[in-house]
């Protein structure tokens, strides 16, 4: 075999092994996190079962309600960022966001899969793909900015009260890097949209099934949409308000779960611990910060004056509602969106299988071809022989490539 043949064989082997190797690495990292972060917390919590006898059910119910309202505020943020024309009602927007959260909570780096499912659900409601893409990007970036601003305010207030901690510097650096990256992205789109479009056109031409012209068109349309959003004060104020309420109510839910075990945390210190944990949990290693938030938050709460027992049980009970409950709730929301009433259990099972497939394979709103539940690209179906449905025939010409 020649050197070129051996090199080509190695390249084919690497392409075939890349995905399994990536999954092995992710599973290994997950195992380390569970072994060294999650299990010690659970073992420590098992020693504090006696606190369950002092459990205040009223505070638990309050925490559950606040978490639900927090999720509803996220749907209101979605509504504020979408154009009024043809916008679905708040019930459907809430269920779409909930279905996206379910995917994000079960897949490592789940924001990619959740964005794909959400994009498909939003566009299936008749929304323009570019409007949906801009809304999702703006919502993600804006929500991150709001969290960092609220966190910095909490840190500035807490330093005179509780003193400076080394983790503050780390979080400030991470937050500054995130904000700088998002600022560069926004400036690149708003001031250099044509240049960005040309760059993405050249990149897209080399990606099978995407196409540079489609990517360039979406970037130019996104530039116009971002400019309109920045000039609309009503939309801007409403978006910032709902994003802030989403974070604040989630943190208030944590406060209630801690209070249910008999301790009333300092709200500023609690939000500082909550914000730091969520910033660190945003690193795309585990689904929605699983293991990171669960372990970091109790440690920080203890540094702000709570006992280890109360902090651990309060955080674990809050995560049952904050992390685990949206998974079955989101699956039920997806079924309610896709399955007509009275369709039967088989239709529900098909919808759940479709959600799983889309979560694993869907692209984000970059114009890449969507996939059906069987994993077959929509563009490939559009190229099949005559007799195909009209909708499939049009799929190839759809510039949107019609979260979680």
């Amino acid at each position: 075999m020649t050197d070129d043949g051996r090199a080509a064989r190695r390249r084919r082997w690497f392409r075939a092994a890349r995905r399994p190797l990536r999954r092995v690495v992710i599973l290994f990292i997950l195992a380390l996190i569970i072994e060294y972060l999650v299990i010690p917390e659970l073992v420590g919590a098992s020693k504090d079962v006696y606190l369950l006898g002092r459990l205040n059910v009223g505070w638990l119910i309050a925490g559950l309600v606040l978490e639900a309202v927090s999720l509803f505020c996220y749907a209101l943020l979605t509504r504020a960022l979408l154009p009024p024309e043809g916008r679905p009602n708040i019930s459907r927007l809430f269920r779409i966001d909930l279905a996206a959260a379910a995917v994000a909570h079960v897949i490592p780096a789940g924001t990619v899969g959740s964005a794909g499912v959400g994009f498909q659900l939003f566009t299936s409601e008749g929304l323009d793909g570019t409007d949906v893409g801009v809304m999702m990007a703006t919502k993600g970036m804006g929500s991150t900015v709001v969290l960092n601003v609220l966190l910095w305010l909490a840190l500035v207030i807490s330093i005179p009260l509780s003193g400076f901690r080394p983790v503050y510097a780390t979080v400030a650096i991470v937050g500054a890097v995130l904000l700088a990256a998002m600022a560069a992205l926004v400036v690149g789109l708003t001031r250099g949209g044509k240049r960005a479009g040309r760059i993405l056109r050249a990149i897209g031409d080399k990606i099978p099934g995407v196409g540079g012209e489609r990517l360039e068109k979406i970037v130019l349309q996104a530039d116009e949409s971002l400019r309109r959003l920045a000039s609309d004060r009503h939309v801007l104020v409403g978006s910032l308000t709902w994003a802030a309420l989403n974070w604040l109510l989630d943190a208030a839910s944590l406060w209630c779960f801690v209070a249910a075990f008999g301790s009333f945390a300092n709200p500023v210190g609690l939000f500082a611990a909550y914000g730091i944990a969520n910033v660190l949990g945003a690193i795309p290693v585990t689904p929605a910060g699983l293991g990171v938030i669960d372990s970091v938050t109790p440690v920080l709460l203890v540094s702000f004056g709570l006992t280890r027992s109360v902090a651990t049980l309060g955080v674990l009970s809050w995560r049952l509602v904050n992390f685990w409950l949206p998974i079955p709730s989101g699956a039920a929301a997806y079924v309610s969106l896709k399955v007509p009433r009275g369709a039967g259990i088989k239709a529900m099972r098909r919808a759940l299988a479709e959600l799983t497939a889309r979560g694993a394979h869907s692209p984000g709103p970059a114009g890449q071809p969507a996939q059906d539940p069987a994993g077959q690209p929509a563009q490939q179906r559009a190229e099949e022989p005559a007799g195909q449905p009209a909708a499939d025939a049009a799929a190839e010409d759809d510039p949107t490539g019609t979260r979680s």
Side-chain angles (χ1 to χ4, degrees):
M1 182 180 293
T2 64
D3 291 341
D4 290 340
R6 283 193 292 270
R9 185 176 180 180
R10 283 195 298 269
R11 286 194 296 269
R12 287 195 299 269
W13 179 88
F14 178 75
R15 284 195 296 268
R18 184 168 52 187
R19 178 171 293 181
L21 285 174
R22 185 169 62 233
R23 290 178 178 175
V24 169
V25 171
I26 291 173
L27 289 174
F28 180 71
I29 294 173
L30 281 174
L32 289 178
I33 290 173
I34 293 172
E35 173 70 21
Y36 292 103
L37 295 178
V38 177
I39 291 179
E41 291 297 326
L42 294 177
V43 172
S46 66
K47 300 176 182 178
D48 305 318
V49 177
Y50 72 92
L51 287 172
L52 296 177
R54 305 195 323 225
L55 193 63
N56 188 311
V57 178
W59 284 120
L60 288 180
I61 295 174
L64 180 62
V65 171
L66 286 172
E67 189 65 38
V69 178
S70 170
L71 292 172
F72 189 73
C73 286
Y74 198 67
L76 290 172
L77 171 61
T78 301
R79 186 175 185 270
L81 291 172
L82 285 172
E85 300 81 11
R87 184 172 56 194
N89 60 48
I90 189 63
S91 171
R92 297 190 73 82
L93 293 177
F94 178 70
R95 284 179 283 167
I96 291 173
D97 280 339
L98 202 56
V103 174
H105 287 199
V106 296
I107 302 175
T111 51
V112 177
S114 67
V117 173
F119 185 80
Q120 291 167 352
L121 288 175
F122 282 120
T123 53
S124 68
E125 296 288 332
L127 294 169
D128 178 74
T130 301
D131 289 335
V132 172
V134 172
M135 177 273 293
M136 295 178 70
T138 306
K139 182 170 64 172
M141 291 188 296
S143 185
T144 302
V145 170
V146 169
L147 173 61
N148 277 274
V149 171
L150 292 174
L151 173 58
W152 289 348
L153 288 174
L155 294 180
V156 168
I157 297 172
S158 69
I159 288 174
L161 299 176
S162 306
F164 180 81
R165 291 170 173 78
V167 72
Y168 291 179
T170 303
V171 171
I173 293 172
V174 172
V177 171
L178 288 174
L179 294 180
M182 287 184 289
L185 178 61
V186 172
V187 170
L189 285 176
T190 55
R191 295 190 178 180
K194 292 183 178 180
R195 178 180 298 177
R198 288 195 298 269
I199 294 172
L200 286 177
R201 184 187 184 101
I203 295 173
D205 285 337
K206 299 178 181 180
I207 303 176
V210 177
E213 184 178 355
R214 176 179 292 178
L215 279 180
E216 182 182 23
K217 183 175 181 180
I218 286 179
V219 168
L220 294 177
Q221 290 175 336
D223 175 20
E224 297 176 3
S225 299
L226 284 173
R227 291 178 185 274
R228 287 197 303 269
L229 177 63
S231 63
D232 192 332
R233 171 174 280 187
H234 177 73
V235 173
L236 191 60
V237 172
S239 302
L240 293 175
T241 300
W242 296 126
L245 285 174
N246 169 246
W247 291 114
L248 292 171
L249 290 171
D250 190 26
S253 173
L254 171 59
W255 189 93
C256 289
F257 279 101
V258 170
F261 292 95
S263 293
F264 299 97
N266 180 295
V268 176
L270 180 136
F271 190 86
Y274 166 88
I276 291 171
N278 275 276
V279 169
L280 297 178
I283 300 173
V285 176
T286 63
L290 178 63
V292 179
I293 295 176
D294 310 68
S295 302
V296 172
T297 310
V299 173
L300 294 173
L301 288 176
V302 169
S303 70
F304 283 106
L306 289 181
T307 65
R308 179 76 177 184
S309 304
V310 170
T312 300
L313 289 176
V315 170
L316 289 178
S317 57
W318 166 67
R319 288 290 278 175
L320 286 175
V321 174
N322 167 271
F323 180 87
W324 295 104
L325 186 58
I327 297 175
S329 301
Y334 185 86
V335 170
S336 72
L337 289 167
K338 305 296 288 186
V339 179
R341 291 184 179 179
I345 191 67
K346 290 185 178 180
M348 295 181 183
R349 288 176 178 173
R350 284 196 298 270
L352 290 175
E354 178 183 336
L355 175 62
T356 304
R358 286 185 170 182
H361 302 293
S362 292
Q368 297 180 17
Q371 294 188 350
D372 61 15
Q376 185 181 19
Q379 186 175 357
Q380 179 179 335
R381 287 187 286 111
E383 295 170 353
E384 290 177 352
Q388 61 190 359
D392 287 346
E396 188 174 0
D397 298 324
D398 179 10
T400 66
T402 358
R403 162 214 123 213
S404 2

